[in-house]
């Protein structure tokens, strides 16, 4: 069993990051090298400065707010939660004074960020069973949400266990030791992690996250990087 | 479909894959926000009329033939092989989309469904499965460009007959000048009209009243190549006018009330020594500079509203000018709701009006929401600045018994001219 854990926690993590980084860069470069569209693609009336409006379109999603406020709410909550979770993971590598402007224990939000993220993913998922979005959805849309949900749930479990059930075998210091060993290319998994009763949660979390990272460059997840350039085209 | 044919069509597909197109193909999250954007869906709420649904029909073929994902695991994104049946789906998607780009305003990424539909249209042309009449009309236009000498005589005779009408109606003696000048080298402005007196007579009256040094193009503005989505033909049709403008050394090319022609000329003609304007912009300029005067008498007691042609307004940027003109023509102008950026398509774009009776039923059903939008203004006069829109709005007027007076903006300006 420990061998399987090790495979997920070490080689698969390296593979996932390699596929994610190289795949994303490759796809973006490949697309950027294609010829530009010969004419403008903007929508009028034009507002100046166009780039600022494009940034606003990308990060505030005003058109969704106008046409589908409930969806906007869950999307906004979801994306902000994911951002906070990413910050939380960065903090697993060390202390970042900038993130400690709001003093907190790692992870931010006392476990509620993960909960909120999971609930909004469920909303996005069940929304797809409802016409007309059901008619638009393809399996990809469900798979990605399931993958996200599993990643978030198993990840949050560990946070919840520590905060809400006083579970303290696996702590931040163990994660730091593990993650830094990966970065330094001297991988090693501390015994607290490998032999703890909750190890399976971490392993499942990492497993699903690995899968997610590996499909990322080849799916609609690329909207993360393409949203801004596309909005720039529309704003002219 | 045999292998050779499929390969040829995929080559055509490949020519369309520029950077923007790949963005549009890769990014849709199928969030469904564009659902209510489309006038067709608003009028007939069926999934196949949602912008993203149409786009997905093209996207499935893209996934199958251009993405590893569709080859390794087709069911993941419902990738689909290009077959005869797929062609039929492409036809239904592309020819129920008017290319108005209203959905582009809704989409959080700004996906351009018209552009995605241009792939469908190109594949149909490649498979000879497009509406034949559009290609025929496009070829006629191209032929006219090639053998101008042959058409010249008849054209000049036709123009002579129209001149009479201008003189009668406006009592405009053009002080020894020709009323409708043709082929004048060194003229300031080349006016590109449509085949039809209504596109030439009022325009001529206004140009002469403004003392414009203008000349009428031999060619009609309409670009059937663009309707059928054939880039080669679009370019050939466009080039006739570009070459004429260069030959006559004009400083401005003025496109008549034709949305597609305006957008194609404005955005596709490249960098040229002349500028491109719509006749609406030119009329607004005359008014602003005091070169023409109009009176509000002609439309006294009328309530006027204006339909923004998608290719001129949302996609072409001419929004202020028609409103400026209408301020001079009436005291009772009512804007449609919601605002022009969100204006509904008339339902006749993308070649649907050019297909005439064949699409009439669909055009009337799919534009129900447009008819309602117009009706809500309480207007008696519905002005517009596009031939296609005018035809479609007149059909809607009849079909839904709206009791409107559908007018071209140029005709309204001409009718209200104060000739001193
Ligand atoms: S709004 Fe845009 S991203 Fe959403 S389904 Fe429509 S086209 Fe796709
Ligand atoms: S471009 Fe217009 S007609 Fe076509 S899908 Fe979008 S809203 Fe509908």
């Amino acid at each position: 069993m420990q061998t399987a854990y090790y495979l997920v926690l070490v080689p698969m993590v390296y593979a996932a990051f390699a596929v994610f980084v190289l795949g994303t860069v490759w796809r973006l470069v490949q697309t950027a090298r294609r010829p530009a569209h010969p004419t403008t693609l903007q929508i009028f009336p034009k507002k100046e400065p166009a780039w600022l409006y494009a940034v606003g379109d990308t990060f505030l999603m005003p058109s969704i707010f106008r046409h589908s406020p409930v969806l906007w709410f869950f999307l906004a909550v979801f994306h902000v939660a994911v951002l906070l979770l990413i910050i939380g993971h960065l903090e697993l590598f060390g202390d970042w004074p900038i993130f400690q402007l709001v003093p907190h224990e790692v992870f931010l939000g006392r476990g509620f960020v993960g909960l909120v993220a999971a609930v909004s993913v469920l909303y996005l998922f069940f929304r797809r069973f409802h016409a007309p979005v059901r008619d638009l959805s393809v399996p990809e849309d469900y798979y990605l949400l399931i993958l996200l949900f599993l990643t978030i749930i198993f990840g949050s479990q560990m946070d919840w266990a520590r905060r809400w059930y006083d579970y303290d075998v696996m702590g931040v210091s163990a994660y730091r030791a593990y993650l830094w060993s990966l970065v330094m290319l001297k991988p090693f998994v501390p015994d607290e992690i490998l032999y703890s009763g909750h190890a399976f949660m971490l392993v499942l979390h990492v497993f699903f996250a690995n899968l997610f990272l590996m499909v990322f460059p080849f799916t609609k997840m690329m909207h993360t990087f393409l949203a801004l350039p596309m909005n720039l085209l529309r704003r002219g | 479909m045999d292998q050779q044919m499929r390969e040829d069509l995929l080559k055509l597909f490949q020519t369309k894959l520029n950077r923007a197109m790949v963005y549009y193909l890769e990014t849709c999250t199928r969030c469904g926000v564009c659902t209510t954007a489309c006038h067709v869906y608003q009028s007939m709420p069926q999934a196949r009329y949602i912008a993203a649904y149409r786009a997905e029909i093209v996207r499935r073929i893209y996934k199958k033939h251009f993405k590893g994902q569709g080859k390794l695991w087709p069911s993941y994104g419902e990738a689909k092989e290009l077959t005869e049946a797929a062609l039929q789906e492409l036809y239904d998607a592309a020819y129920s989309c008017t290319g108005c780009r209203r959905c582009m305003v809704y989409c959080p990424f700004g996906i351009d469904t018209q552009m995605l539909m241009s792939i469908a249209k190109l594949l149909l042309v490649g498979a000879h499965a497009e509406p034949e009449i559009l290609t025929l009309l496009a070829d006629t236009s191209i032929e006219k460009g090639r053998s101008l000498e042959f058409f010249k005589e008849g054209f000049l005779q036709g123009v002579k007959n129209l001149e009479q009408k201008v003189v009668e109606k406006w009592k405009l003696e053009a002080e020894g000048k020709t009323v409708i000048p043709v082929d004048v080298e060194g003229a300031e402005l080349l006016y590109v009209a449509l085949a039809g007196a209504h596109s030439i007579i009022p325009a001529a009256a206004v140009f002469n009243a403004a003392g414009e040094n203008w000349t009428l193009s031999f060619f009609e503005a309409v670009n059937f190549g663009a309707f059928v989505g054939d880039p080669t033909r679009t370019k050939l049709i466009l080039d006739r006018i570009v070459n004429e403008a260069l030959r006559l050394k004009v400083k401005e090319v003025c496109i008549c009330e034709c949305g597609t022609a305006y957008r194609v000329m404005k955005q596709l003609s490249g960098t040229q020594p002349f500028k491109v304007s719509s006749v609406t912009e030119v009329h607004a300029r005359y008014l602003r500079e005091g070169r023409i005067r109009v009176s509000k008498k002609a439309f006294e007691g009328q309530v006027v509203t204006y339909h923004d042609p998608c290719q001129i307004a949302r996609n072409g940027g001419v929004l202020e000018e028609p409103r400026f003109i209408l301020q001079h023509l009436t005291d009772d102008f009512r804007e449609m709701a919601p605002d022009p950026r969100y204006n509904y398509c008339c339902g006749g774009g993308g070649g649907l009006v050019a297909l005439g009776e064949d699409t009439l039923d669909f055009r009337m059903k799919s534009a129900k929401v447009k008819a309602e939008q117009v009706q809500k203004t309480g207007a008696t006069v519905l002005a517009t600045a596009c031939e296609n829109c005018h035809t479609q709005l007149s059909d809607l007027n009849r079909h839904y018994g709206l009791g409107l007076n559908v007018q071209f903006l140029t005709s309204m300006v001409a009718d209200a001219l104060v000739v001193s």
Side-chain angles (χ1 to χ4, degrees):
Chain A
M1 204 54 186
Q2 269 64 36
T3 318
Y5 283 4
Y6 186 84
L7 285 177
V8 171
L9 291 179
V10 178
M12 192 183 177
V13 171
Y14 281 127
F17 268 87
V19 172
F20 171 69
V21 174
L22 297 177
T24 304
V25 170
W26 178 65
R27 304 255 14 232
L28 287 177
V29 169
Q30 211 195 17
T31 310
R33 282 177 50 195
R34 289 177 183 274
H37 191 70
T39 67
T40 173
L41 288 163
Q42 82 195 80
I43 288 276
F44 295 92
K46 184 171 181 168
K47 293 209 183 135
E48 296 285 1
W51 66 268
L52 191 61
Y53 278 93
V55 169
D57 287 348
T58 306
F59 293 101
L60 303 176
M61 310 178 285
S63 71
I64 306 186
F65 185 73
R66 176 168 173 152
H67 302 293
S68 201
V70 180
L71 173 63
W72 183 89
F73 174 79
F74 282 102
L75 281 175
V77 165
F78 170 71
H79 282 95
V80 170
V82 167
L83 194 68
L84 294 177
L85 292 173
I86 290 174
I87 290 178
H89 283 80
L90 290 178
E91 287 182 300
L92 284 184
F93 286 92
D95 296 319
W96 302 66
I98 178 150
F99 297 141
Q100 284 296 346
L101 287 179
V102 188
H104 64 272
E105 238 181 85
V106 178
F107 278 69
L108 265 167
R110 300 164 186 269
F112 285 99
V113 176
L115 186 65
V116 159
V119 170
S120 39
V121 169
L122 283 183
Y123 171 80
L124 296 176
F125 184 73
F126 285 110
R127 184 177 169 271
R128 293 213 173 263
F129 289 92
H130 219 285
V133 193
R134 189 186 54 200
D135 304 309
L136 298 176
S137 302
V138 302
E140 164 175 30
D141 305 324
Y142 299 95
Y143 294 160
L144 288 176
L145 286 169
I146 294 172
L147 209 47
L148 268 177
F149 181 75
L150 292 171
T151 309
I152 293 173
I153 272 295
F154 286 109
S156 301
Q157 272 287 343
M158 293 181 289
D159 201 17
W160 298 339
R162 275 189 298 131
R163 289 179 186 267
W164 300 342
Y165 308 110
D166 295 327
Y167 177 84
D168 58 4
V169 177
M170 277 195 297
V172 171
S173 56
Y175 298 142
R176 278 194 185 165
Y178 158 61
L179 287 173
W180 272 109
S181 77
L182 288 181
V183 175
M184 304 315 281
L185 303 179
K186 292 198 185 91
F188 113 97
V189 186
D191 287 352
E192 298 108 285
I193 292 180
L194 218 44
Y195 293 97
S196 110
H198 279 201
F200 76 96
M201 280 194 220
L202 175 73
V203 171
L204 286 175
H205 170 67
V206 174
F207 177 74
F208 291 122
N210 285 342
L211 280 186
F212 186 76
L213 287 177
M214 288 200 267
V215 295
F216 191 104
F218 313 104
T219 62
K220 66 171 187 177
M221 287 316 300
M222 288 302 277
H223 77 264
T224 317
F225 299 105
L226 297 181
L228 185 60
M230 290 174 77
N231 274 308
L232 283 168
L233 286 180
R234 169 169 57 177
R235 288 290 182 173
Chain B
M1 180 184 305
D2 59 32
Q3 195 52 35
Q4 186 56 44
M5 171 83 142
R6 183 172 299 119
E7 270 165 30
D8 291 347
L9 291 181
L10 291 175
K11 268 188 211 127
L12 283 179
F13 200 130
Q14 178 81 51
T15 65
K16 282 282 186 180
L17 293 177
N18 62 34
R19 195 183 312 148
M21 190 67 94
V22 171
Y23 288 168
Y24 296 149
L25 285 164
E26 293 280 345
T27 306
C28 178
T29 55
R30 288 165 291 274
C31 66
V33 173
C34 56
T35 302
T36 52
C38 186
H39 64 281
V40 186
Y41 182 86
Q42 286 256 343
S43 304
M44 297 185 274
Q46 299 169 25
R48 61 191 169 131
Y49 296 137
I50 300 174
Y53 192 94
R54 303 173 194 286
E56 203 60 26
I57 289 172
V58 174
R59 208 171 271 124
R60 287 196 174 106
I61 295 170
Y62 170 74
K63 288 179 207 172
K64 178 77 198 177
H65 296 285
F66 297 95
K67 257 179 95 93
Q69 182 206 95
K71 294 188 183 107
L72 296 171
W73 188 7
S75 68
Y76 175 81
E78 294 183 355
K80 211 166 178 175
E81 177 139 77
L82 181 57
T83 58
E84 287 296 337
L87 279 180
Q88 184 58 46
E89 283 184 1
L90 289 169
Y91 188 100
D92 293 341
Y95 284 96
S96 64
C97 167
T98 59
C100 71
R101 289 163 110 223
R102 189 172 193 267
C103 46
M104 192 167 171
V105 184
Y106 278 57
C107 175
F109 308 109
I111 291 178
D112 185 343
T113 310
Q114 182 192 32
M115 210 166 117
L116 289 168
M117 290 303 105
S118 79
I119 295 180
K121 287 191 167 183
L122 183 61
L123 294 184
L124 291 167
V125 170
H128 303 293
E130 83 282 15
E132 227 172 286
I133 177 79
L134 294 181
T135 307
L136 278 175
L137 288 166
D139 286 342
T140 311
S141 298
I142 295 166
E143 191 47 41
K144 189 171 165 188
R146 289 204 181 111
S147 38
L148 183 58
E149 287 311 313
F150 183 77
F151 292 96
K152 221 169 183 170
E153 271 313 300
F155 183 79
L156 292 174
Q157 189 52 49
V159 168
K160 274 272 156 297
N161 299 340
L162 295 182
E163 285 190 324
Q164 266 315 312
K165 296 202 177 134
V166 179
V167 175
E168 273 163 34
K169 181 156 180 203
W170 282 274
K171 316 274 179 293
L172 274 174
E173 288 301 344
E175 298 124 28
K177 281 198 260 163
T178 337
V179 180
I180 303 181
V182 183
D183 214 16
V184 183
E185 204 178 308
E188 284 284 316
L189 178 146
L190 175 70
Y191 177 62
V192 194
L194 290 169
H198 66 279
S199 167
I200 302 177
I201 294 177
V206 178
F207 285 135
N208 291 336
E212 184 64 84
N213 177 9
W214 69 293
T215 181
L216 178 67
S217 170
F218 278 116
F219 304 110
E220 66 293 329
V222 62
N223 197 317
F224 291 105
F227 284 146
V228 77
D230 182 337
T232 316
R233 287 188 171 92
T234 306
K235 188 79 176 43
L236 286 171
I237 295 173
L238 170 69
D239 281 348
R240 303 171 315 162
I241 301 167
V242 172
N243 292 336
E244 187 183 27
L246 292 175
R247 179 169 61 80
L248 297 179
K249 303 188 183 65
V250 296
K251 298 202 179 68
E252 182 170 11
V253 171
C254 171
I255 304 291
C256 66
E257 292 172 306
C258 175
T260 302
Y262 173 66
R263 189 164 165 222
V264 168
M265 190 74 198
K266 177 99 185 169
Q267 301 183 348
L268 267 183
S269 57
T271 320
Q272 298 291 355
F274 53 82
K275 72 169 181 174
V276 178
S277 322
S278 71
V279 66
T280 312
E281 289 171 292
V282 172
H283 285 183
R285 190 169 75 215
Y286 291 162
L287 280 171
R288 208 172 287 129
E289 293 172 353
R291 286 172 71 176
I292 55 169
R293 281 193 301 127
V294 291
S295 121
K296 287 183 178 164
K297 283 221 185 64
F299 301 98
E300 212 154 38
Q302 306 274 16
V303 183
V304 184
T305 189
Y306 177 72
H307 165 76
D308 279 296
C310 303
Q311 308 308 345
I312 294 181
R314 182 166 44 239
N315 303 332
V318 183
L319 290 145
E320 302 288 325
E321 292 82 354
R323 287 161 179 83
F324 178 77
I325 294 173
L326 283 163
Q327 272 172 26
H328 289 80
L329 296 178
T330 173
D331 285 323
D332 199 350
F333 172 69
R334 302 215 189 135
E335 200 64 83
M336 287 188 217
D339 61 273
R341 207 158 101 110
Y342 285 95
N343 187 44
Y344 281 113
C345 177
C346 65
L352 292 190
V353 160
L355 291 173
E357 285 293 313
D358 290 353
T359 56
L360 186 62
D361 184 53
F362 176 78
R363 281 191 282 126
M364 294 303 105
K365 286 186 183 144
S366 64
K368 189 165 128 252
V369 58
K370 181 78 221 181
E372 289 163 3
Q373 190 192 23
V374 174
Q375 207 163 26
K376 276 192 205 121
T377 62
T380 53
V381 175
L382 170 55
T384 192
C386 168
E387 176 85 11
N388 255 295
C389 299
H390 187 276
T391 309
Q392 164 76 358
L393 292 170
S394 305
D395 288 345
L396 283 177
N397 190 26
R398 216 171 305 120
H399 183 85
Y400 289 100
L402 302 176
L404 290 160
N405 176 4
V406 184
Q407 285 274 354
F408 283 109
L409 194 53
T410 45
S411 309
M412 290 175 72
V413 173
D415 287 343
L417 268 184
V418 179
V419 186
S420 47

mmCIF file of all heavy atoms in Angstrom, chain B residues 28-34 52 107-109 111, ligand 1:
data_model
loop_
_atom_site.group_PDB
_atom_site.id
_atom_site.type_symbol
_atom_site.label_atom_id
_atom_site.label_comp_id
_atom_site.label_asym_id
_atom_site.label_seq_id
_atom_site.Cartn_x
_atom_site.Cartn_y
_atom_site.Cartn_z
ATOM 1 N N CYS B 28 -15.113 27.650 -25.263
ATOM 2 C CA CYS B 28 -16.486 27.646 -24.746
ATOM 3 C C CYS B 28 -16.607 26.712 -23.544
ATOM 4 O O CYS B 28 -16.214 25.542 -23.605
ATOM 5 C CB CYS B 28 -17.443 27.210 -25.845
ATOM 6 S SG CYS B 28 -19.143 27.101 -25.309
ATOM 7 N N THR B 29 -17.150 27.223 -22.441
ATOM 8 C CA THR B 29 -17.330 26.382 -21.263
ATOM 9 C C THR B 29 -18.747 25.815 -21.209
ATOM 10 O O THR B 29 -19.129 25.199 -20.229
ATOM 11 C CB THR B 29 -17.072 27.186 -19.978
ATOM 12 O OG1 THR B 29 -17.917 28.331 -20.008
ATOM 13 C CG2 THR B 29 -15.639 27.637 -19.890
ATOM 14 N N ARG B 30 -19.507 26.084 -22.249
ATOM 15 C CA ARG B 30 -20.917 25.662 -22.302
ATOM 16 C C ARG B 30 -21.655 26.086 -21.030
ATOM 17 O O ARG B 30 -22.371 25.324 -20.413
ATOM 18 C CB ARG B 30 -21.010 24.153 -22.558
ATOM 19 C CG ARG B 30 -20.622 23.803 -23.993
ATOM 20 C CD ARG B 30 -20.354 22.347 -24.206
ATOM 21 N NE ARG B 30 -19.157 21.927 -23.533
ATOM 22 C CZ ARG B 30 -17.927 22.008 -24.026
ATOM 23 N NH1 ARG B 30 -17.734 22.458 -25.222
ATOM 24 N NH2 ARG B 30 -16.889 21.619 -23.311
ATOM 25 N N CYS B 31 -21.451 27.347 -20.693
ATOM 26 C CA CYS B 31 -22.076 27.893 -19.490
ATOM 27 C C CYS B 31 -23.542 28.248 -19.745
ATOM 28 O O CYS B 31 -24.314 28.384 -18.810
ATOM 29 C CB CYS B 31 -21.320 29.135 -19.038
ATOM 30 S SG CYS B 31 -21.446 30.520 -20.190
ATOM 31 N N GLY B 32 -23.897 28.421 -21.024
ATOM 32 C CA GLY B 32 -25.287 28.682 -21.353
ATOM 33 C C GLY B 32 -25.731 30.130 -21.211
ATOM 34 O O GLY B 32 -26.913 30.426 -21.386
ATOM 35 N N VAL B 33 -24.802 31.028 -20.935
ATOM 36 C CA VAL B 33 -25.199 32.428 -20.778
ATOM 37 C C VAL B 33 -25.742 32.998 -22.095
ATOM 38 O O VAL B 33 -26.603 33.873 -22.107
ATOM 39 C CB VAL B 33 -24.005 33.274 -20.254
ATOM 40 C CG1 VAL B 33 -24.330 34.748 -20.237
ATOM 41 C CG2 VAL B 33 -23.639 32.816 -18.847
ATOM 42 N N CYS B 34 -25.240 32.471 -23.209
ATOM 43 C CA CYS B 34 -25.683 32.985 -24.512
ATOM 44 C C CYS B 34 -27.081 32.490 -24.896
ATOM 45 O O CYS B 34 -27.600 32.882 -25.951
ATOM 46 C CB CYS B 34 -24.681 32.585 -25.588
ATOM 47 S SG CYS B 34 -24.388 30.816 -25.673
ATOM 48 N N ALA B 52 -24.331 28.597 -28.545
ATOM 49 C CA ALA B 52 -23.302 27.614 -28.206
ATOM 50 C C ALA B 52 -23.621 26.244 -28.823
ATOM 51 O O ALA B 52 -22.721 25.475 -29.145
ATOM 52 C CB ALA B 52 -23.166 27.481 -26.695
ATOM 53 N N CYS B 107 -21.603 36.477 -24.183
ATOM 54 C CA CYS B 107 -20.612 35.469 -23.805
ATOM 55 C C CYS B 107 -19.513 36.081 -22.942
ATOM 56 O O CYS B 107 -18.951 37.109 -23.291
ATOM 57 C CB CYS B 107 -20.004 34.850 -25.059
ATOM 58 S SG CYS B 107 -18.663 33.709 -24.696
ATOM 59 N N PRO B 108 -19.201 35.465 -21.814
ATOM 60 C CA PRO B 108 -18.154 36.024 -20.945
ATOM 61 C C PRO B 108 -16.788 36.091 -21.631
ATOM 62 O O PRO B 108 -15.935 36.856 -21.206
ATOM 63 C CB PRO B 108 -18.120 35.060 -19.757
ATOM 64 C CG PRO B 108 -18.816 33.825 -20.212
ATOM 65 C CD PRO B 108 -19.816 34.264 -21.229
ATOM 66 N N PHE B 109 -16.592 35.286 -22.677
ATOM 67 C CA PHE B 109 -15.309 35.329 -23.389
ATOM 68 C C PHE B 109 -15.420 36.118 -24.688
ATOM 69 O O PHE B 109 -14.426 36.394 -25.335
ATOM 70 C CB PHE B 109 -14.833 33.914 -23.716
ATOM 71 C CG PHE B 109 -14.804 33.014 -22.524
ATOM 72 C CD1 PHE B 109 -15.725 31.979 -22.397
ATOM 73 C CD2 PHE B 109 -13.881 33.218 -21.512
ATOM 74 C CE1 PHE B 109 -15.717 31.159 -21.293
ATOM 75 C CE2 PHE B 109 -13.867 32.398 -20.404
ATOM 76 C CZ PHE B 109 -14.784 31.370 -20.289
ATOM 77 N N ILE B 111 -17.147 34.970 -27.470
ATOM 78 C CA ILE B 111 -17.019 34.038 -28.597
ATOM 79 C C ILE B 111 -17.887 34.523 -29.754
ATOM 80 O O ILE B 111 -19.052 34.864 -29.574
ATOM 81 C CB ILE B 111 -17.413 32.612 -28.160
ATOM 82 C CG1 ILE B 111 -16.352 32.087 -27.191
ATOM 83 C CG2 ILE B 111 -17.559 31.691 -29.364
ATOM 84 C CD1 ILE B 111 -16.626 30.711 -26.647
HETATM 85 S S1 LIG C 1 -21.837 32.185 -23.350
HETATM 86 FE FE1 LIG C 1 -19.905 31.765 -24.444
HETATM 87 S S2 LIG C 1 -18.849 30.247 -23.150
HETATM 88 FE FE2 LIG C 1 -20.993 30.299 -22.462
HETATM 89 S S3 LIG C 1 -21.993 28.682 -23.649
HETATM 90 FE FE3 LIG C 1 -22.266 30.572 -24.806
HETATM 91 S S4 LIG C 1 -20.550 30.617 -26.255
HETATM 92 FE FE4 LIG C 1 -20.032 29.118 -24.674
#
